[in-house]
Amino acid sequence: MLVDNMEIEIIKDKTLELEMIIHGENHSMCNVLRKYLMEDSDVEYAVYGIDHPLTGEPIMTIKTKRTKRPKNSLLKAANRLKDEVAEFKSLVEETMD
């Protein structure tokens, strides 16, 4: 799956659990995304790991509660991240004028 030039490879897609590789990313994006996921009351846990600091790619696992779908929580967190980045960019542009 290709999302805005980011390639996501789904490893496991179950009713309450999603595991994926986020190609080309590092701790910066994954850590913020994990933080937003953990703030979602539907998420039981969200973790990621990178096997090797230079060549590894992040593998993220999202587990949701009850009957909530992890893809929905991921989409909500990604949209929040996108909105906050746009707001930050706007603030930077205002200070540069």
Side-chain angles (χ1 to χ4, degrees):
M1 173 189 326
L2 191 61
V3 180
D4 290 338
N5 297 325
M6 178 187 301
E7 185 181 351
I8 298 173
E9 179 182 342
I10 304 296
I11 299 171
K12 184 190 307 180
D13 186 4
K14 294 186 174 182
T15 303
L16 300 177
E17 187 174 356
L18 179 68
E19 188 173 347
M20 62 191 167
I21 299 172
I22 306 172
H23 295 286
E25 289 301 327
N26 58 30
H27 290 287
S28 299
M29 196 275 307
C30 291
N31 201 29
V32 174
L33 190 58
R34 185 201 57 79
K35 178 186 179 298
Y36 291 164
L37 283 161
M38 290 303 300
E39 291 174 358
D40 184 338
S41 62
D42 294 333
V43 173
E44 188 171 325
Y45 64 81
V47 296
Y48 77 92
I50 300 177
D51 288 340
H52 190 278
L54 298 176
T55 60
E57 294 186 300
I59 299 175
M60 180 171 277
T61 302
I62 305 165
K63 174 96 166 63
T64 51
K65 300 174 185 173
R66 301 174 292 276
T67 59
K68 303 300 182 181
R69 296 286 295 158
K71 284 184 179 180
N72 294 339
S73 293
L74 176 61
L75 184 59
K76 188 164 60 171
N79 283 329
R80 181 176 171 199
L81 176 58
K82 182 179 176 181
D83 291 344
E84 291 204 9
V85 167
E87 181 181 344
F88 180 71
K89 180 183 177 192
S90 175
L91 289 171
V92 169
E93 289 173 347
E94 284 177 19
T95 61
M96 299 307 243
D97 289 338

